[in-house]
Amino acid sequence: MHDARQSALVRNTLLHMLCPPGEKVPYVLSLLTYHFTGMEEGLALLREAGKSKIRLEVFTEKILFRHFTKEHLAGESNHDAWYLSSSLTEDKLRMADCILIPVLSFSLSGDLLRFNDQRDFVRIILQALLSGKKVAALPYGNDPFHEVFRSKELDRGSEYLKTELHKTLFQLKKLGVTLLRDGEGLASWLNDSRQKQSVISEADILSAAKAQKKLLIAEEHAIITPLARDAAKQYGIKISRQ
């Protein structure tokens, strides 16, 4: 797996190096756990994500490797850089633009709604939501009314059980999690992430100078134009990233 993993790292590095000036390649952290249904769809979503112009890193929980080998996961997802959830750091989260959850299991949903920040994935998701980062999940594994449950004959439980499970999706949306429906939804979500990247222009600096400000706060990944930098130097204005 060493050579395979290296290929994903090389791809991410090349995307960063070859990105045109003024354009940023979104950095996406994908959090993948195991669930008894929705795995095929989740791995397919990772395949689709790999076709997009993004830097993608996949973090997994140990339970996943009780059911699948790394080789199987790499083959099904067309992605070969895998890291354990224990290696998730605040620095990683700070650099990330988006959090992607390919498989939304019952346990992950439950822990999120209980704010169980002792679980690495939950801690990272909650911190992302609280800091205003975009978080999206494919809900098939958590939707008992979806075809993936019918295809495995898992739709025969009581209406009360299915309704209660389905309610968690609405609660997650209230927390700020975007629920994707397919690969097309993923593309739209990623495009929104690119379009919402802020830009600090010369006009912003001139406006700050007019207001006699000496400090301008910019988003962490904001683009600062060369003219803005020149104007900031001219007027003695410090640009500080959040």
Side-chain angles (χ1 to χ4, degrees), residues 89-103:
T89 63
E90 291 191 9
D91 284 339
K92 285 280 186 185
L93 177 61
R94 201 160 27 243
M95 292 187 296
D97 297 292
C98 316
I99 304 294
L100 177 64
I101 307 168
V103 177

Side-chain angles (χ1 to χ4, degrees), residues 147-202:
E147 174 60 32
V148 296
F149 278 77
R150 288 193 292 273
S151 66
K152 294 188 175 183
E153 298 184 347
L154 294 172
D155 61 337
R156 301 176 182 181
S158 70
E159 286 302 308
Y160 175 79
L161 172 61
K162 291 187 288 185
T163 300
E164 288 300 302
L165 291 171
H166 193 261
K167 281 181 182 178
T168 62
L169 297 178
F170 294 99
Q171 294 173 292
L172 291 173
K173 287 179 70 175
K174 288 182 179 180
L175 293 183
V177 177
T178 298
L179 300 181
L180 304 173
R181 286 300 170 187
D182 49 32
E184 185 177 342
L186 172 67
S188 175
W189 178 69
L190 290 172
N191 285 334
D192 286 345
S193 300
R194 292 189 182 93
Q195 292 166 4
K196 290 184 179 179
Q197 187 177 5
S198 62
V199 177
I200 303 297
S201 67
E202 181 185 28

Side-chain angles (χ1 to χ4, degrees), residues 121-140:
F121 277 4
V122 174
R123 172 177 51 82
I124 288 294
I125 294 168
L126 290 175
Q127 284 182 293
L129 290 170
L130 287 168
S131 61
K133 294 183 184 290
K134 296 172 71 67
V135 177
L138 192 68
Y140 297 166

